[in-house]
Amino acid sequence: MSVIVDYLIIIWGFIMIGLMAIGGFFMFRKFLKRLPKEDGKSIMDWEEYYVNKTKNMWKEEEKELLDELVSPVPELFRDVAKHKIASKVGEVALMKDKTTITQDVLIEGYIIATPKRDHKFLRKKLAQKNIDTKPYEEFFQLSRGDYEQDWKRKHQK
């Protein structure tokens, strides 16, 4: 009986170490996003800035479209994903000197903010809404990593 208990304690120890490592990984990622960059602001500071700056530019239709586009994301992560995408959409809108967030700006910002693996869900949702994806093909061809390098220069028209 004591051998079984010994093995259970060892297995429980490995499970606890594994769970702590997973939690630590996500906490460390959040910590890295809070570190200031060369300009003195962190990634999360810039996200907050763009969301707050463009808060009044969103129309109800675009808010509903964003909610629909983010619906495949698990509910636990949906708010974080929505915030990140909304900040990138706001950044695109400000870069293009828009006064309101349009459907085009929303879709471009969504593509830029999401990794390539999520684009198939976006294409599916846009097809359901009868929105043509042809104008956005150039953005679909690039991955998020390509945008992160120098996306502003590549994106300007």
Side-chain angles (χ1 to χ4, degrees):
M1 184 73 172
S2 69
V3 174
I4 294 173
V5 173
D6 290 344
Y7 282 128
L8 287 176
I9 291 172
I10 291 171
I11 290 171
W12 179 251
F14 280 119
I15 290 172
M16 291 305 294
I17 289 171
L19 290 174
M20 287 175 41
I22 291 169
F25 170 75
F26 285 107
M27 288 176 62
F28 188 68
R29 282 184 54 201
K30 186 91 165 182
F31 169 73
L32 289 178
K33 286 184 178 183
R34 267 289 171 208
L35 286 177
K37 303 295 181 202
E38 300 84 31
D39 59 3
K41 288 190 174 192
S42 68
I43 293 171
M44 293 178 81
D45 290 338
W46 280 113
E47 285 179 7
E48 283 295 322
Y49 170 78
Y50 288 121
V51 167
N52 291 335
K53 188 87 169 171
T54 60
K55 194 179 289 186
N56 298 327
M57 296 170 64
W58 287 83
K59 293 184 284 186
E60 200 58 39
E61 296 169 9
E62 278 65 34
K63 287 180 184 178
E64 290 172 7
L65 180 59
L66 179 61
D67 286 338
E68 271 189 63
L69 294 177
V70 179
S71 65
V73 176
E75 193 171 339
L76 182 62
F77 306 110
R78 196 171 295 155
D79 288 339
V80 174
K82 189 174 169 183
H83 187 268
K84 181 178 179 171
I85 292 166
S87 71
K88 191 57 74 175
V89 170
E91 185 177 355
V92 170
L94 291 175
M95 186 182 73
K96 291 185 166 196
D97 295 324
K98 300 287 186 180
T99 56
T100 60
I101 304 290
T102 62
Q103 180 176 302
D104 290 335
V105 172
L106 173 62
I107 295 171
E108 288 177 26
Y110 190 98
I111 294 168
I112 293 170
T114 56
K116 199 171 194 106
R117 69 177 180 270
D118 294 344
H119 291 173
K120 71 177 180 178
F121 296 113
L122 177 60
R123 287 179 186 270
K124 184 177 168 184
K125 280 289 186 184
L126 293 177
Q128 288 174 354
K129 304 266 310 161
N130 294 323
I131 298 173
D132 185 27
T133 59
K134 294 238 186 285
Y136 312 107
E137 283 303 320
E138 64 180 295
F139 305 114
F140 280 121
Q141 299 308 316
L142 298 172
S143 69
R144 188 174 86 186
D146 295 334
Y147 279 117
E148 287 176 352
Q149 297 292 320
D150 191 14
W151 78 270
K152 290 181 183 177
R153 184 182 56 80
K154 294 176 183 176
H155 186 69
Q156 284 180 340
K157 292 184 176 184

